[in-house]
Amino acid sequence: MIGIALLFVLIAVLQTALIHYHHFSPFERESNLRAVLWGARPAPRYWAVVALDVCTGLLLTLLAIGLWPQTPGDAPLARLARTLPAGALTTLLAAVAHHHVNDAVIRFPRIGIIARRMVPALIAGALAGATTLLAVALAATPDWTTALDVWLRLLWPFFIPAYLLALLVFVLRALAFFLRVIPVIGSFAHAAASTLLLVGMLACYGWMAGAVLPGVTGLGLHGLEGVVVGVGALALVALLLAW
């Protein structure tokens, strides 16, 4: 668990840097990407920040995998390879959900339009919750066939609680923005609280998988230490280049 704690601190520090470079929230990421797609010519620092963001996301995925249950004897790298595609799909769906939330909020105070614009956000959020449970199932089982069976067993009793938990975490992470008013450590407090809420939610999803898979165990980052060190080193290089 010491490795998990140290990885969490590293992620919080990297997230603090992303706040400094205005590339932390989904809105900031989307705005920056749109500017590039519309013809803006960013400085090399922008691409270093994008690389830092990608590395931070990978480290967060590794942290989640370290918290999720695992079938004894499952090869760590094979487990990671199975889980990453579902994690990438979840990230994409979450970005779509955040896009529609932002698109709805800017319509205030036109409540009717806001309500209509929130529908695709809620649908994308529900799909993101389902694919997160799929990622958990893939991490907890040794193959796709077993994972799909476990995923279906997870969806029936746990989908609605998982979705409601995700909505609660979404609101709390938005409110964590106000931690930035704390002198000196405000940005770090925001990054740490936001990351802790997300990690806590993912840990709860892992507990849900453990409830339908008795006998699985959590082995932390065992077997993935080299991957964590490699991605962490790349993140630090990207941070130095952005600096």
Side-chain angles (χ1 to χ4, degrees):
M1 293 306 292
I2 294 178
I4 293 287
L6 291 175
L7 181 56
F8 173 83
V9 173
L10 174 62
I11 291 171
V13 170
L14 297 177
Q15 296 275 39
T16 304
L18 290 173
I19 290 175
H20 174 74
Y21 291 118
H22 305 287
H23 199 81
F24 174 74
S25 70
F27 176 76
E28 290 172 334
R29 294 188 184 100
E30 182 180 347
S31 298
N32 294 338
L33 179 59
R34 279 187 175 185
V36 173
L37 294 177
W38 289 348
R41 295 183 178 179
R45 169 183 286 184
Y46 170 75
W47 300 111
V49 172
V50 170
L52 174 62
D53 189 22
V54 172
C55 290
T56 304
L58 288 173
L59 289 173
L60 187 57
T61 301
L62 288 165
L63 177 58
I65 291 175
L67 292 172
W68 290 340
Q70 176 181 353
T71 301
D74 191 9
L77 292 180
R79 180 173 178 247
L80 175 63
R82 283 196 313 272
T83 308
L84 277 180
L89 179 58
T90 298
T91 301
L92 178 61
L93 288 169
V96 172
H98 280 97
H99 165 77
H100 287 290
V101 169
N102 293 330
D103 191 44
V105 170
I106 62 174
R107 311 293 171 175
F108 184 83
R110 303 172 71 179
I111 303 301
I113 295 179
I114 290 176
R116 289 195 298 272
R117 301 269 180 169
M118 282 298 294
V119 171
L122 293 172
I123 294 174
L127 292 174
T131 54
T132 304
L133 291 176
L134 174 60
V136 177
L138 287 166
T141 55
D143 56 72
W144 269 90
T145 303
T146 309
L148 290 176
D149 177 66
V150 171
W151 181 49
L152 294 176
R153 289 161 57 192
L154 273 173
L155 286 178
W156 173 243
F158 291 119
F159 174 70
I160 292 179
Y163 187 37
L164 294 177
L165 176 60
L167 291 176
L168 175 62
V169 168
F170 173 82
V171 173
L172 293 177
R173 293 185 78 201
L175 294 175
F177 173 83
F178 295 103
L179 292 173
R180 294 196 195 183
V181 302
I182 301 175
V184 183
I185 64 168
S187 293
F188 177 77
H190 178 200
S194 180
T195 304
L196 181 61
L197 287 166
L198 181 58
V199 169
M201 181 189 75
L202 295 174
C204 287
Y205 285 7
W207 172 85
M208 294 174 186
V212 300
L213 276 175
V216 295
T217 57
L219 299 178
L221 296 171
H222 177 71
L224 295 174
E225 297 90 346
V227 178
V228 172
V229 171
V231 177
L234 290 175
L236 293 176
V237 170
L239 179 59
L240 289 173
L241 292 173
W243 198 268

